[in-house]
Amino acid sequence: MSEQHGSGGTITGAQSLVRSLEAAGVTDIFGIPGGAILPAYDPLMDSRIRHILVRHEQGAGHAAQGYAAATGKVGVCMATSGPGATNLVTPLADAHMDSVPMVAITGQVGASLIGTDAFQEADIRGITMPITKHNFLVTDPADIPARVAEAFHIASTGRPGPVLVDVTKSALQSMTGFDWPTELVLPGYRPVTRPHAKQIREAARLILEARKPVLYVGGGTIRSGAHRELLTFAELTGIPVVTTLMARGAFPDSHPQHLGMPGMHGTVAAVAGLQKSDLIISLGARFDDRVTGNLDSFAPGAKVIHADIDPAEIGKNRHADVPIVGDVREVLVDLITTLRTEADAGHTGDYEGWVAFCAGVKAKYALGYEKPADGGLAPQYVLERLGAISGPDTIFTAGVGQHQMWAAQFIGYELPNTWLNSGGLGTMGYSVPAAMGAQVGMPDSVVWAVDGDGCFQMTNQELATCAINNIPIKVAVINNESLGMVRQWQTLFYNERYSNTDLHSKRIPDFVKLAEAYGCVGLACESPEDVDATIAKAMEINDVPVVVDFRVHRDAMVWPMVAAGTSNDDIKYARDLAPQFDEDDL
């Protein structure tokens, strides 16, 4: 339909939608047009908003996630009705699990056709209700500005998350006025950001009484921008710190108080620190099963201070002795003030023996790996060198599986928003489109997508988007010819019966030729001696995307490991080695 300006200041609903997105501060959208959303694409052509035409709606959703996670702003994606909208389901669920601020705009069939099984009709609002923070169906064009404003407010405040706005084609084609709201009326939506003073005082009392406290730092610390306050608090108290998979970079890896990542593939020091603590100070974390292992045996002697902006998370999995509802940054500011006042009065914690114990475990069970006996390429070595050569300002995205764990373990993270991955949902195919979104949001940063050969083949079509739109991401494919993490489980738990995990990826496809076919530079590396030179060459190319096929040793495994459903006490440092802790000092 052609754009209608009308008289008396009236515009089409489609024009109102684009104007609303501009008013919300949107500068970039990832999307694909189709019938129901098509009216919105006409005024979008005249907008200052940059629209990036992706190759699959899932790519649009993950790109919006990557954009949001790298910048802290709301990421935006757009799709048409039916299959266009349902292709956004996975990124929406992913953003919901990982608290990523995102707005998805979808077209819907005309209002009179809803419920008739019209062409490309799907009840996307019903489908996504459990996996969005909120969603809207707009049938009246006059409602478009208010719904868009509300969507951005809900997505970015409180616990961030995805919001979907489904707009009927009839609303997009109808004439309407434009009135951007000056205030929002959202009854019942009042996120608490300031913590209660009584809970802060009670938390401070437990912190001073404890002898073996640990700071358990989750992804909410990144989302709240609380990394500076965290560093101040940690150094004020001297308490050891663990950062979850979602919180890598919230606290510098190089800091002596950092014990590493806890959980299924966490460091021995981080797992032991939690298990043997007498107080867990949880900041924006949710006691996820991948961290706790068997809940019944998790940190049996620990009291819990649980600070989270989402009251539904507090006490959900583990009883909280001191629940604190509030933004992590605000909580830390108040705790710092209270503990400084206590210190001035001569009251400080005594953690000397505990700190020494944790440091001893960290030194004794440092992360390591075996070099392949055949002189082949260890994937851990590739990531170690990638982190060292790229430097701490580099943004890394990862898919899901062994390569994700190795990237979390062997790259050093010093800064927040430099590690983006699919944590809660565990979505294969996240990495390449998320890197694309991160690069659009942070054009002056180096962005590496660390991907497995399995993940890479799910969404690598977005390399075409990157090449055409001058988005020069770099991709490190950790190619072990397998669905590596599944293969590892088959090795350990299924008597090495490798059912349907062999991808033949060193033959089909040829990743170098594939990269070149997409207008990218393709490189390959299969020897340890060539790793540094190959990474350096990739780093020199900044005008087009680069794909490096690292042909790594097939049987490398992720260690340490806590098998699913078992106790963290049963952590294996290597395949047949369980750590034994010396507790004489405690």
Side-chain angles (χ1 to χ4, degrees):
M1 172 179 166
S2 63
E3 184 176 326
Q4 297 178 35
H5 293 281
S7 58
T10 59
I11 56 174
T12 65
Q15 288 172 303
S16 177
L17 176 62
V18 172
R19 195 178 289 185
S20 297
L21 292 169
E22 290 172 345
V26 176
T27 55
D28 303 277
I29 294 176
F30 304 90
I32 302 182
I37 196 67
L38 194 58
Y41 271 80
D42 188 65
L44 192 58
M45 200 171 184
D46 302 318
S47 171
R48 62 176 180 269
I49 295 172
R50 179 189 186 189
H51 179 277
I52 293 163
L53 176 62
V54 297
R55 295 304 180 265
H56 192 291
E57 290 90 354
Q58 184 180 351
H62 291 319
Q65 282 185 276
Y67 180 96
T71 65
K73 301 181 206 168
V74 177
V76 185
C77 56
M78 190 180 283
T80 197
S81 63
T86 58
N87 279 342
L88 291 177
V89 166
T90 298
L92 287 167
D94 197 297
H96 192 245
M97 288 281 268
D98 288 349
S99 306
V100 179
M102 177 171 135
V103 169
I105 307 291
T106 52
Q108 183 55 275
V109 299
S112 64
L113 293 173
I114 289 176
T116 68
D117 288 336
F119 177 64
Q120 291 191 332
E121 182 189 358
D123 177 12
I124 196 62
R125 187 162 182 242
I127 290 166
T128 61
M129 200 166 281
I131 54 164
T132 51
K133 190 175 174 185
H134 195 65
N135 59 25
F136 301 94
L137 171 63
V138 183
T139 57
D140 183 345
D143 292 338
I144 289 172
R147 296 299 90 83
V148 170
E150 288 162 4
F152 278 83
H153 177 71
I154 292 167
S156 59
T157 54
R159 179 181 184 169
V163 178
L164 179 130
V165 183
D166 195 34
V167 189
T168 60
K169 188 171 186 178
S170 51
L172 292 172
Q173 291 177 319
S174 299
M175 303 308 295
T176 184
F178 179 81
D179 184 19
W180 185 249
T182 54
E183 60 178 312
L184 301 178
V185 182
L186 291 165
Y189 182 69
R190 293 184 185 84
V192 174
T193 57
R194 288 302 306 274
H196 196 288
K198 177 178 176 292
Q199 301 305 87
I200 293 291
R201 287 196 301 273
E202 189 61 20
R205 183 181 68 78
L206 285 189
I207 290 166
L208 294 173
E209 284 177 1
R211 290 294 174 266
K212 298 185 285 183
V214 170
L215 280 161
Y216 163 38
V217 177
T221 308
I222 299 253
R223 297 285 181 256
S224 80
H227 55 285
R228 295 181 191 87
E229 290 78 9
L230 173 62
L231 184 62
T232 300
F233 180 81
E235 292 184 338
L236 172 68
T237 60
I239 295 172
V241 179
V242 304
T243 53
T244 67
L245 180 68
M246 290 304 300
R248 306 291 288 112
F251 191 76
D253 275 357
S254 60
H255 199 285
Q257 282 169 244
H258 196 214
L259 302 182
M261 178 176 76
M264 176 176 274
H265 295 295
T267 65
V268 173
V271 172
L274 285 173
Q275 282 302 95
K276 302 193 176 300
S277 65
D278 65 3
L279 177 66
I280 292 173
I281 305 155
S282 175
L283 301 170
R286 56 189 179 87
F287 292 85
D288 175 73
D289 63 285
R290 282 305 197 252
V291 168
T292 65
N294 183 344
L295 258 176
D296 293 340
S297 60
F298 173 69
K303 290 184 177 178
V304 172
I305 298 166
H306 193 171
D308 202 290
I309 201 160
D310 184 354
E313 287 297 350
I314 298 176
K316 184 180 82 175
N317 294 327
R318 171 70 178 247
H319 169 73
D321 297 275
V322 180
I324 304 176
V325 178
D327 180 84
V328 169
R329 197 172 65 80
E330 304 270 13
V331 170
L332 284 168
V333 166
D334 287 2
L335 279 173
I336 289 164
T337 302
T338 302
L339 289 172
R340 279 181 174 155
T341 302
E342 292 284 348
D344 290 343
H347 305 139
T348 56
D350 176 14
Y351 319 130
E352 193 176 335
W354 171 242
V355 168
F357 167 76
C358 291
V361 175
K362 180 180 175 182
K364 187 174 180 181
Y365 298 101
L367 281 171
Y369 56 92
E370 292 180 3
K371 293 182 179 176
D374 62 1
L377 188 54
Q380 301 96 326
Y381 178 71
V382 171
L383 292 163
E384 215 168 44
R385 298 308 301 152
L386 186 61
I389 294 168
S390 294
D393 294 323
T394 301
I395 296 170
F396 291 94
T397 69
V400 169
Q402 287 182 315
H403 69 279
Q404 174 194 27
M405 293 298 113
W406 289 321
Q409 291 175 332
F410 291 99
I411 295 172
Y413 299 97
E414 300 293 309
L415 301 167
N417 306 317
T418 56
W419 164 248
L420 319 181
N421 81 127
S422 172
L425 198 64
T427 304
M428 291 180 68
Y430 169 92
S431 184
V432 168
M436 174 172 71
Q439 187 78 79
V440 169
M442 303 292 285
D444 297 326
S445 295
V446 174
V447 180
W448 273 98
V450 177
D451 229 350
D453 48 308
C455 284
F456 182 63
Q457 292 184 75
M458 291 196 173
T459 51
N460 64 30
Q461 66 269 33
E462 298 309 337
L463 288 173
T465 311
C466 291
I468 290 166
N469 290 281
N470 302 312
I471 305 168
I473 67 168
K474 305 179 194 304
V475 184
V477 182
I478 308 301
N479 181 0
N480 59 5
E481 303 178 88
S482 306
L483 297 170
M485 189 61 90
V486 184
R487 191 175 194 272
Q488 173 165 333
W489 282 50
Q490 288 172 335
T491 301
L492 296 174
F493 309 119
Y494 292 90
N495 299 315
E496 301 183 12
R497 287 163 57 83
Y498 299 120
S499 172
N500 291 285
T501 46
D502 190 343
L503 292 171
H504 304 282
S505 313
K506 289 181 185 173
R507 294 187 297 108
I508 301 171
D510 181 325
F511 289 140
V512 174
K513 287 181 179 174
L514 183 72
E516 290 169 350
Y518 274 129
C520 309
V521 172
L523 305 172
C525 176
E526 49 193 328
S527 121
E529 294 75 31
D530 296 335
V531 167
D532 281 19
T534 305
I535 294 170
K537 186 172 182 182
M539 294 289 290
E540 287 168 7
I541 301 165
N542 294 306
D543 53 344
V544 292
V546 184
V547 177
V548 186
D549 181 8
F550 287 104
R551 295 167 182 171
V552 300
H553 181 59
R554 185 171 208 177
D555 294 316
M557 290 205 202
V558 182
W559 298 108
M561 181 175 181
V562 178
T566 66
S567 169
N568 280 356
D569 292 327
D570 299 329
I571 186 171
K572 298 282 189 188
Y573 182 57
R575 185 165 184 177
D576 302 310
L577 184 64
Q580 298 296 316
F581 304 114
D582 180 3
E583 298 188 59
D584 293 344
D585 296 331
L586 295 177

